[in-house]
Amino acid sequence: MQMTPDTFSWVCQKVYGHEVDEALLFDPETNVKCGIWYLSYLQTQFATEREVIAAYNAGPAHVKEWLSDSRYSTDGKTLSALPYKETENHIKKVQRAKTIYKKLYESR
């Protein structure tokens, strides 16, 4: 789960109550634990999966800014457009992977 060092540091403060060595960003157990916590946090901040994924990629401050801009949101809760092509591509990639995983695991 990719996180910037700054986001990782902030999340570790919330998860562990203190900063941890930045090298733990590359420790799978720590990384996944922090990444899952961060996703659950973002789910409390945004209305739909699309905004959560966008916030994970571009940062929650950007998404909040876009939601307040009528060029990107008509209701202030959901994004109808994105100014960053990278974020749009990231959302598509995550949604594609979700579809594949659902097909793989629902057939079991």
Side-chain angles (χ1 to χ4, degrees), residues 18-36:
H18 56 82
E19 285 191 34
V20 300
D21 184 344
E22 191 176 297
L24 287 174
L25 178 59
F26 302 101
D27 170 64
E29 185 176 334
T30 304
N31 181 281
V32 170
K33 182 176 183 171
C34 290
I36 290 170

Side-chain angles (χ1 to χ4, degrees), residues 75-99:
D75 61 6
K77 294 180 182 179
T78 58
L79 294 168
S80 53
L82 291 163
Y84 293 174
K85 188 69 173 165
E86 175 189 335
T87 300
E88 184 67 48
N89 289 338
H90 180 73
I91 291 169
K92 288 176 185 174
K93 182 178 172 182
V94 169
Q95 290 173 330
R96 224 177 6 257
K98 180 182 176 184
T99 300

Side-chain angles (χ1 to χ4, degrees), residues 36-105:
I36 290 170
W37 183 93
Y38 189 49
L39 278 172
S40 68
Y41 165 78
L42 292 173
Q43 287 177 320
T44 69
Q45 304 296 303
F46 299 101
T48 74
E49 184 178 88
R50 180 175 166 81
E51 287 73 40
V52 170
I53 297 167
Y56 197 94
N57 178 261
H62 282 115
V63 173
K64 288 176 183 177
E65 180 183 318
W66 300 337
L67 289 170
S68 67
D69 187 327
S70 62
R71 293 176 297 171
Y72 308 116
S73 177
T74 57
D75 61 6
K77 294 180 182 179
T78 58
L79 294 168
S80 53
L82 291 163
Y84 293 174
K85 188 69 173 165
E86 175 189 335
T87 300
E88 184 67 48
N89 289 338
H90 180 73
I91 291 169
K92 288 176 185 174
K93 182 178 172 182
V94 169
Q95 290 173 330
R96 224 177 6 257
K98 180 182 176 184
T99 300
I100 291 167
Y101 280 112
K102 283 181 92 171
K103 284 181 182 178
L104 288 171
Y105 289 101

